[in-house]
Amino acid sequence: MAGAEDGPDQHPELDEDEAAYCRRWGAQHAGARELAALYSPGKRLQEWCSVVLCFSLIAHNLVHLLLLARWEHTPLVVLGVVAGALIADFLSGLVHWGADTWGSVELPIVGKAFIRPFREHHIDPTAITRHDFIETNGDNCLVTLLPLLNMAYKFHTQSTEALEQQYPWECFVFCLTIFGTFTNQIHKWSHTYFGLPRWVILLQDWHIILPRKHHRIHHVSPHETYFCITTGWLNYPLEKVGFWRRLEDLIQGLTGEKPRADDMKWAQKIK
């Protein structure tokens, strides 16, 4: 499949580190096969509904924001875009860290639906490159539905004057939801070593979205650092202050639960 990481030997443009990274574990790993088999028709239906509704709301809200746009809003809108990217990056790290570090695939409802993809991804990092648009983005679309629905409600219930006063805030919320919605797509691109559009490669090279080599740091077992996957801007400062390790120590001290125990269980399956 074009765009996937599979078959690094067929792509001389990869350096030795990249080629070795692409070979690591993979789709034939016993744990990866078992986890992939847990993807259900019900889960697929949820993803389809989430994507359709989410992108309908994005289009609806964007039209209303453009109709309300004024030049005097520009400085605050630019600030909102940057703030939205930063907060989305932190939230992506928080969710990623939580799903990587705690919980089990056996948990009711959330286990197979939401934790399973994180376990599969560590065993088979190439799996995400073989997922289509719906499977890649369905869960993020579900998460961003609430703020998008709230924004659409405001556009139909509040006066133009009130909306103009709130315009910079609504732009910030919209940008935050856009970055949040596309986080998994950006994550997928960070695992795609050939066939990417030139504009995506430029965004990665400029570190506007998560770069490929930057994200590889997270995929060194036991996957305990560089969790932010929207822009990756916050990974270095959070690592320097030991944010995730301190948080893990606090939770382990309070609960006695060991970080990444379930993740390692799947990685160690041999048949």
Side-chain angles (χ1 to χ4, degrees):
M1 175 180 175
E5 291 178 358
D6 305 71
D9 295 328
Q10 300 174 10
H11 301 281
E13 69 272 17
L14 302 184
D15 61 31
E16 290 183 4
D17 289 341
E18 289 172 334
Y21 171 67
C22 292
R23 292 188 190 97
R24 185 175 173 274
W25 289 335
Q28 299 310 309
H29 186 281
R33 294 198 307 270
E34 189 173 342
L35 287 164
L38 295 175
Y39 183 63
S40 67
K43 174 64 173 169
R44 180 70 173 181
L45 177 61
Q46 169 256 303
E47 291 170 347
W48 260 107
C49 293
S50 298
V51 169
V52 171
L53 184 53
C54 178
F55 279 88
S56 298
L57 288 167
I58 287 174
H60 172 275
N61 292 340
L62 178 59
V63 169
H64 282 271
L65 286 172
L66 291 175
L67 290 173
L68 289 166
R70 301 290 184 271
W71 280 111
E72 56 266 27
H73 292 142
T74 302
L76 287 177
V77 169
V78 172
L79 180 62
V81 170
V82 175
L86 281 168
I87 294 176
D89 197 41
F90 177 75
L91 292 176
S92 76
L94 190 65
V95 172
H96 188 183
W97 165 81
D100 274 8
T101 308
W102 310 105
S104 165
V105 174
E106 282 76 29
L107 286 174
I109 303 176
V110 297
K112 291 182 181 179
F114 298 106
I115 295 177
R116 177 198 65 83
F118 290 87
R119 303 294 182 263
E120 180 188 12
H121 183 61
H122 286 164
I123 302 171
D124 181 13
T126 70
I128 194 172
T129 67
R130 300 189 296 274
H131 295 169
D132 64 8
F133 187 85
I134 300 298
E135 186 173 356
T136 299
N137 298 288
D139 287 341
N140 286 52
C141 287
L142 177 64
V143 170
T144 57
L145 280 180
L146 187 59
L148 288 169
L149 282 166
N150 182 59
M151 186 178 295
Y153 175 77
K154 288 181 179 180
F155 285 135
H156 288 282
T157 59
Q158 295 188 2
S159 67
T160 301
E161 292 76 15
L163 290 170
E164 287 180 347
Q165 289 181 349
Q166 300 173 29
Y167 187 79
W169 170 257
E170 297 302 335
C171 286
F172 159 72
V173 173
F174 185 74
C175 290
L176 175 58
T177 58
I178 290 296
F179 282 115
T181 297
F182 284 98
T183 287
N184 243 17
Q185 186 64 51
I186 293 169
H187 183 200
K188 177 179 177 177
W189 287 332
S190 76
H191 283 279
T192 305
Y193 279 82
F194 58 95
L196 283 176
R198 180 61 182 164
W199 64 270
V200 172
I201 295 173
L202 287 175
L203 290 176
Q204 291 176 332
D205 289 344
W206 296 338
H207 208 148
I208 295 173
I209 62 175
L210 184 70
R212 291 170 290 184
K213 288 188 177 181
H214 179 95
H215 184 54
R216 287 219 312 270
I217 297 171
H218 171 71
H219 280 275
V220 176
S221 184
H223 317 286
E224 59 185 6
T225 188
Y226 276 46
F227 291 101
C228 300
I229 54 174
T230 302
T231 64
W233 297 345
L234 294 176
N235 280 322
Y236 180 75
L238 290 174
E239 176 64 17
K240 289 300 289 183
V241 301
F243 180 82
W244 304 114
R245 288 189 296 276
R246 293 172 189 272
L247 200 51
E248 289 170 14
D249 290 344
L250 175 62
I251 293 175
Q252 186 172 8
L254 292 173
T255 67
E257 294 293 323
K258 185 178 180 180
R260 286 171 291 279
D262 183 73
D263 194 28
M264 294 305 297
K265 178 186 74 174
W266 291 97
Q268 291 165 359
K269 282 182 175 285
I270 58 175
K271 63 179 181 177

